[in-house]
Amino acid sequence: MTYVGESRPALRQPEPERGEASFKDVVAAYVGLTKPRVIELLLLTTVPVMFFAARGVPALGLVVATVVGGALSAGSASTFNCVYDRDIDEQMRRTRRRALPRHVVTPRAALVFATVQAVLSTAVLAYWVNPLSAVLSVLANAFYVLGYTMLLKRRTTQNIVWGGIAGCFPALIGWTAVTGELSWVPIVLFAVVFFWTPPHTWALALRYREDYANVDVPMLPVVRPAAEVGRQIVLYSWVMVATSMLLWPVAGTGPVYPVAAAVLGAVFLVEAHKMWRRARGTEDLSEIQPMRLFHHSNLYLSLLFVAVALDPLLTR
């Protein structure tokens, strides 16, 4: 296993693609800068909370404005992240096909694109949703870019723990979009996403630990054995599941949410413990199978927030 600080062979630099990119390639490159799959996951923790806050179906126009503003905000943060991390993205297998490493988009153009998205997202949320949601969106963007990308990512194994706070804001934004104020209900959901983020991200980082090691990014799987990573994942998973059950008494949900949260949580814990058990016996990633837990974590969060949306619809 390679650890940060050890000598290691340099990862071969990918050859930049030559030739003039087509219009379709350029459009695809700009879309790629926004990390659409991340946007999809963030919106999945926004819209269901709006249903829960409305205790039914929220106004369509409000949902559209919140989704558009949230997508622009998340896209802006992701684009800023791509600009700042373009040096390490060019060296990592998982990221070297992005627009900036391939030189399809210039850093300056990407910065302009990110700034325009940030301005538009703030304007959309402030005008068509409410000022509080707009402020929360700006805070999430700033925390991801300044807190995680620029300050924490390359300095500490706790990078994703605290940097992941940015990804928790959509729960707050979805709630304030409907109610215009904060309460303990979205804070519980904020905490669920907070404790979900380390198991989700560390599983992915375990799969790509050599990439992170080669660019000196001290993700936990780079500086700790797989068994310790598995132990930390199990600990965070237990806290995540316990936190998810808090929504039942705090929000006074019907039976749909707590049953779904208990079943989904139990299945997730089984998967986390299985990965930990495999990691205790080997450092071979093909045997540890971290991507199995990574994909399962996506499914867990998706179904949990679907239950958040369905609970008020099915228990009227």
Side-chain angles (χ1 to χ4, degrees):
M1 181 176 178
T2 306
Y3 295 91
V4 168
E6 293 181 354
S7 61
R8 62 182 71 87
L11 191 66
R12 185 177 66 84
Q13 295 282 345
E15 291 293 328
E17 295 188 356
R18 302 298 180 186
E20 187 173 344
S22 67
F23 176 77
K24 182 179 178 180
D25 290 335
V26 173
V27 171
Y30 275 102
V31 171
L33 287 172
T34 67
K35 302 181 183 178
R37 294 185 69 179
V38 173
I39 292 176
E40 178 184 334
L41 193 62
L42 293 176
L43 294 180
L44 187 62
T45 57
T46 303
V47 177
V49 177
M50 297 181 71
F51 277 73
F52 194 81
R55 292 291 172 176
V57 181
L60 178 59
L62 181 63
V63 173
V64 170
T66 306
V67 166
V68 171
L72 287 169
S73 179
S76 169
S78 293
T79 305
F80 278 123
N81 171 267
C82 286
V83 173
Y84 189 83
D85 278 349
R86 65 189 184 278
D87 58 330
I88 61 177
D89 281 352
E90 193 166 2
Q91 300 179 61
M92 296 176 64
R93 289 170 298 168
R94 187 173 65 87
T95 57
R96 64 190 180 194
R97 298 290 299 172
R98 288 176 178 172
L100 290 169
R102 291 171 55 219
H103 308 287
V104 179
V105 177
T106 66
R108 181 176 180 180
L111 276 176
V112 172
F113 182 53
T115 303
V116 169
Q117 288 182 90
V119 171
L120 286 177
S121 70
T122 305
V124 168
L125 290 172
Y127 186 80
W128 280 289
V129 183
N130 58 58
L132 178 56
S133 296
V135 169
L136 289 171
S137 177
V138 171
L139 288 176
N141 197 322
F143 201 95
Y144 183 72
V145 176
L146 301 177
Y148 171 66
T149 302
M150 300 179 70
L151 181 62
L152 296 171
K153 183 175 180 178
R154 307 190 193 201
R155 290 179 171 84
T156 172
T157 59
Q158 294 294 299
N159 48 18
I160 198 61
V161 176
W162 300 108
I165 288 175
C168 306
F169 274 83
L172 303 182
I173 294 169
W175 182 269
T176 59
V178 173
T179 67
E181 60 184 14
L182 287 170
S183 77
W184 283 109
V185 174
I187 291 174
V188 169
L189 293 170
F190 178 103
V192 171
V193 180
F194 176 80
F195 291 116
W196 168 88
T197 301
H200 170 77
T201 308
W202 285 336
L204 180 67
L206 188 58
R207 166 66 178 83
Y208 291 100
R209 63 185 178 187
E210 289 184 9
D211 275 2
Y212 286 111
N214 278 316
V215 294
D216 289 326
V217 174
M219 300 296 287
L220 186 67
V222 174
V223 299
R224 295 288 187 272
E228 174 60 18
V229 176
R231 188 182 74 87
Q232 291 285 338
I233 285 175
V234 165
L235 290 174
Y236 273 93
S237 298
W238 273 100
V239 178
M240 174 193 73
V241 173
T243 304
S244 73
M245 296 304 298
L246 283 177
L247 189 67
W248 181 18
V250 169
T253 71
V256 174
Y257 175 80
V259 170
V263 172
L264 291 169
V267 174
F268 191 94
L269 288 173
V270 168
E271 288 295 329
H273 276 275
K274 283 182 177 178
M275 197 196 84
W276 184 26
R277 185 165 58 250
R278 294 192 296 267
R280 290 203 300 266
T282 182
E283 289 287 334
D284 186 347
L285 294 179
S286 64
E287 294 185 29
I288 297 173
Q289 302 176 52
M291 292 304 289
R292 175 172 172 169
L293 184 66
F294 172 79
H295 292 304
H296 193 83
S297 68
N298 284 329
L299 183 62
Y300 167 84
L301 196 70
S302 300
L303 294 179
L304 184 74
F305 274 81
V306 167
V308 168
L310 290 178
D311 187 87
L313 298 176
L314 299 178
T315 58
R316 286 181 174 180

PDB file of all heavy atoms in Angstrom, residues 21-38:
ATOM      1  N   ALA A  21     -12.081  21.000 -31.045  1.00  0.00           N
ATOM      2  CA  ALA A  21     -13.256  20.305 -30.518  1.00  0.00           C
ATOM      3  C   ALA A  21     -14.506  20.795 -31.234  1.00  0.00           C
ATOM      4  O   ALA A  21     -14.626  21.969 -31.577  1.00  0.00           O
ATOM      5  CB  ALA A  21     -13.370  20.535 -29.026  1.00  0.00           C
ATOM      6  N   SER A  22     -15.433  19.886 -31.443  1.00  0.00           N
ATOM      7  CA  SER A  22     -16.696  20.251 -32.073  1.00  0.00           C
ATOM      8  C   SER A  22     -17.578  20.990 -31.072  1.00  0.00           C
ATOM      9  O   SER A  22     -17.317  20.980 -29.864  1.00  0.00           O
ATOM     10  CB  SER A  22     -17.418  18.994 -32.570  1.00  0.00           C
ATOM     11  OG  SER A  22     -17.828  18.202 -31.461  1.00  0.00           O
ATOM     12  N   PHE A  23     -18.620  21.634 -31.596  1.00  0.00           N
ATOM     13  CA  PHE A  23     -19.552  22.356 -30.722  1.00  0.00           C
ATOM     14  C   PHE A  23     -20.171  21.403 -29.704  1.00  0.00           C
ATOM     15  O   PHE A  23     -20.313  21.741 -28.537  1.00  0.00           O
ATOM     16  CB  PHE A  23     -20.652  23.006 -31.575  1.00  0.00           C
ATOM     17  CG  PHE A  23     -21.715  23.692 -30.760  1.00  0.00           C
ATOM     18  CD1 PHE A  23     -21.477  24.932 -30.179  1.00  0.00           C
ATOM     19  CD2 PHE A  23     -22.957  23.091 -30.566  1.00  0.00           C
ATOM     20  CE1 PHE A  23     -22.456  25.564 -29.417  1.00  0.00           C
ATOM     21  CE2 PHE A  23     -23.937  23.712 -29.809  1.00  0.00           C
ATOM     22  CZ  PHE A  23     -23.684  24.951 -29.241  1.00  0.00           C
ATOM     23  N   LYS A  24     -20.515  20.199 -30.160  1.00  0.00           N
ATOM     24  CA  LYS A  24     -21.093  19.203 -29.266  1.00  0.00           C
ATOM     25  C   LYS A  24     -20.128  18.832 -28.152  1.00  0.00           C
ATOM     26  O   LYS A  24     -20.514  18.678 -26.989  1.00  0.00           O
ATOM     27  CB  LYS A  24     -21.477  17.958 -30.066  1.00  0.00           C
ATOM     28  CG  LYS A  24     -22.124  16.866 -29.244  1.00  0.00           C
ATOM     29  CD  LYS A  24     -22.487  15.668 -30.115  1.00  0.00           C
ATOM     30  CE  LYS A  24     -23.097  14.552 -29.272  1.00  0.00           C
ATOM     31  NZ  LYS A  24     -23.453  13.371 -30.113  1.00  0.00           N
ATOM     32  N   ASP A  25     -18.838  18.704 -28.484  1.00  0.00           N
ATOM     33  CA  ASP A  25     -17.826  18.375 -27.483  1.00  0.00           C
ATOM     34  C   ASP A  25     -17.691  19.488 -26.445  1.00  0.00           C
ATOM     35  O   ASP A  25     -17.533  19.228 -25.251  1.00  0.00           O
ATOM     36  CB  ASP A  25     -16.458  18.136 -28.145  1.00  0.00           C
ATOM     37  CG  ASP A  25     -16.433  16.854 -28.966  1.00  0.00           C
ATOM     38  OD1 ASP A  25     -17.235  15.959 -28.670  1.00  0.00           O
ATOM     39  OD2 ASP A  25     -15.612  16.773 -29.906  1.00  0.00           O
ATOM     40  N   VAL A  26     -17.738  20.730 -26.914  1.00  0.00           N
ATOM     41  CA  VAL A  26     -17.600  21.866 -26.004  1.00  0.00           C
ATOM     42  C   VAL A  26     -18.794  21.950 -25.058  1.00  0.00           C
ATOM     43  O   VAL A  26     -18.629  22.160 -23.844  1.00  0.00           O
ATOM     44  CB  VAL A  26     -17.440  23.186 -26.795  1.00  0.00           C
ATOM     45  CG1 VAL A  26     -17.470  24.383 -25.843  1.00  0.00           C
ATOM     46  CG2 VAL A  26     -16.144  23.171 -27.590  1.00  0.00           C
ATOM     47  N   VAL A  27     -19.990  21.762 -25.603  1.00  0.00           N
ATOM     48  CA  VAL A  27     -21.189  21.781 -24.756  1.00  0.00           C
ATOM     49  C   VAL A  27     -21.118  20.669 -23.721  1.00  0.00           C
ATOM     50  O   VAL A  27     -21.392  20.883 -22.531  1.00  0.00           O
ATOM     51  CB  VAL A  27     -22.463  21.634 -25.615  1.00  0.00           C
ATOM     52  CG1 VAL A  27     -23.684  21.426 -24.722  1.00  0.00           C
ATOM     53  CG2 VAL A  27     -22.654  22.863 -26.495  1.00  0.00           C
ATOM     54  N   ALA A  28     -20.731  19.481 -24.156  1.00  0.00           N
ATOM     55  CA  ALA A  28     -20.603  18.352 -23.231  1.00  0.00           C
ATOM     56  C   ALA A  28     -19.554  18.639 -22.164  1.00  0.00           C
ATOM     57  O   ALA A  28     -19.720  18.249 -21.000  1.00  0.00           O
ATOM     58  CB  ALA A  28     -20.246  17.087 -24.001  1.00  0.00           C
ATOM     59  N   ALA A  29     -18.485  19.341 -22.547  1.00  0.00           N
ATOM     60  CA  ALA A  29     -17.433  19.669 -21.593  1.00  0.00           C
ATOM     61  C   ALA A  29     -17.947  20.626 -20.518  1.00  0.00           C
ATOM     62  O   ALA A  29     -17.662  20.445 -19.327  1.00  0.00           O
ATOM     63  CB  ALA A  29     -16.243  20.291 -22.324  1.00  0.00           C
ATOM     64  N   TYR A  30     -18.709  21.636 -20.922  1.00  0.00           N
ATOM     65  CA  TYR A  30     -19.262  22.580 -19.951  1.00  0.00           C
ATOM     66  C   TYR A  30     -20.267  21.888 -19.028  1.00  0.00           C
ATOM     67  O   TYR A  30     -20.294  22.144 -17.820  1.00  0.00           O
ATOM     68  CB  TYR A  30     -19.932  23.757 -20.664  1.00  0.00           C
ATOM     69  CG  TYR A  30     -18.965  24.859 -21.038  1.00  0.00           C
ATOM     70  CD1 TYR A  30     -18.511  25.000 -22.345  1.00  0.00           C
ATOM     71  CD2 TYR A  30     -18.505  25.755 -20.078  1.00  0.00           C
ATOM     72  CE1 TYR A  30     -17.614  26.007 -22.700  1.00  0.00           C
ATOM     73  CE2 TYR A  30     -17.612  26.768 -20.408  1.00  0.00           C
ATOM     74  CZ  TYR A  30     -17.165  26.890 -21.721  1.00  0.00           C
ATOM     75  OH  TYR A  30     -16.267  27.879 -22.052  1.00  0.00           O
ATOM     76  N   VAL A  31     -21.082  21.023 -19.584  1.00  0.00           N
ATOM     77  CA  VAL A  31     -22.017  20.261 -18.750  1.00  0.00           C
ATOM     78  C   VAL A  31     -21.242  19.396 -17.768  1.00  0.00           C
ATOM     79  O   VAL A  31     -21.591  19.300 -16.587  1.00  0.00           O
ATOM     80  CB  VAL A  31     -22.941  19.394 -19.622  1.00  0.00           C
ATOM     81  CG1 VAL A  31     -23.762  18.448 -18.749  1.00  0.00           C
ATOM     82  CG2 VAL A  31     -23.863  20.270 -20.458  1.00  0.00           C
ATOM     83  N   GLY A  32     -20.166  18.769 -18.244  1.00  0.00           N
ATOM     84  CA  GLY A  32     -19.351  17.935 -17.377  1.00  0.00           C
ATOM     85  C   GLY A  32     -18.734  18.694 -16.220  1.00  0.00           C
ATOM     86  O   GLY A  32     -18.557  18.138 -15.123  1.00  0.00           O
ATOM     87  N   LEU A  33     -18.402  19.962 -16.427  1.00  0.00           N
ATOM     88  CA  LEU A  33     -17.836  20.777 -15.351  1.00  0.00           C
ATOM     89  C   LEU A  33     -18.795  20.905 -14.168  1.00  0.00           C
ATOM     90  O   LEU A  33     -18.368  21.082 -13.030  1.00  0.00           O
ATOM     91  CB  LEU A  33     -17.483  22.181 -15.874  1.00  0.00           C
ATOM     92  CG  LEU A  33     -16.266  22.301 -16.780  1.00  0.00           C
ATOM     93  CD1 LEU A  33     -16.185  23.709 -17.359  1.00  0.00           C
ATOM     94  CD2 LEU A  33     -14.981  21.969 -16.027  1.00  0.00           C
ATOM     95  N   THR A  34     -20.072  20.831 -14.428  1.00  0.00           N
ATOM     96  CA  THR A  34     -21.072  20.991 -13.358  1.00  0.00           C
ATOM     97  C   THR A  34     -21.281  19.709 -12.553  1.00  0.00           C
ATOM     98  O   THR A  34     -21.998  19.716 -11.557  1.00  0.00           O
ATOM     99  CB  THR A  34     -22.433  21.422 -13.940  1.00  0.00           C
ATOM    100  OG1 THR A  34     -22.976  20.349 -14.733  1.00  0.00           O
ATOM    101  CG2 THR A  34     -22.293  22.671 -14.803  1.00  0.00           C
ATOM    102  N   LYS A  35     -20.680  18.592 -13.007  1.00  0.00           N
ATOM    103  CA  LYS A  35     -20.830  17.278 -12.352  1.00  0.00           C
ATOM    104  C   LYS A  35     -22.315  16.934 -12.175  1.00  0.00           C
ATOM    105  O   LYS A  35     -22.853  16.942 -11.053  1.00  0.00           O
ATOM    106  CB  LYS A  35     -20.105  17.260 -11.006  1.00  0.00           C
ATOM    107  CG  LYS A  35     -18.613  17.570 -11.106  1.00  0.00           C
ATOM    108  CD  LYS A  35     -17.927  17.517  -9.747  1.00  0.00           C
ATOM    109  CE  LYS A  35     -16.455  17.909  -9.850  1.00  0.00           C
ATOM    110  NZ  LYS A  35     -15.781  17.916  -8.519  1.00  0.00           N
ATOM    111  N   PRO A  36     -22.990  16.631 -13.278  1.00  0.00           N
ATOM    112  CA  PRO A  36     -24.449  16.386 -13.234  1.00  0.00           C
ATOM    113  C   PRO A  36     -24.883  15.324 -12.228  1.00  0.00           C
ATOM    114  O   PRO A  36     -25.958  15.440 -11.641  1.00  0.00           O
ATOM    115  CB  PRO A  36     -24.766  15.945 -14.672  1.00  0.00           C
ATOM    116  CG  PRO A  36     -23.698  16.575 -15.498  1.00  0.00           C
ATOM    117  CD  PRO A  36     -22.466  16.542 -14.650  1.00  0.00           C
ATOM    118  N   ARG A  37     -24.077  14.297 -12.014  1.00  0.00           N
ATOM    119  CA  ARG A  37     -24.479  13.251 -11.081  1.00  0.00           C
ATOM    120  C   ARG A  37     -24.491  13.770  -9.643  1.00  0.00           C
ATOM    121  O   ARG A  37     -25.300  13.334  -8.823  1.00  0.00           O
ATOM    122  CB  ARG A  37     -23.539  12.046 -11.196  1.00  0.00           C
ATOM    123  CG  ARG A  37     -23.642  11.362 -12.550  1.00  0.00           C
ATOM    124  CD  ARG A  37     -22.822  10.101 -12.629  1.00  0.00           C
ATOM    125  NE  ARG A  37     -23.376   9.052 -11.791  1.00  0.00           N
ATOM    126  CZ  ARG A  37     -22.863   7.836 -11.692  1.00  0.00           C
ATOM    127  NH1 ARG A  37     -21.779   7.516 -12.390  1.00  0.00           N
ATOM    128  NH2 ARG A  37     -23.424   6.931 -10.903  1.00  0.00           N
ATOM    129  N   VAL A  38     -23.592  14.706  -9.354  1.00  0.00           N
ATOM    130  CA  VAL A  38     -23.601  15.332  -8.027  1.00  0.00           C
ATOM    131  C   VAL A  38     -24.842  16.206  -7.876  1.00  0.00           C
ATOM    132  O   VAL A  38     -25.503  16.194  -6.832  1.00  0.00           O
ATOM    133  CB  VAL A  38     -22.320  16.167  -7.813  1.00  0.00           C
ATOM    134  CG1 VAL A  38     -22.398  16.947  -6.505  1.00  0.00           C
ATOM    135  CG2 VAL A  38     -21.088  15.269  -7.821  1.00  0.00           C
TER     136      VAL A  38
END
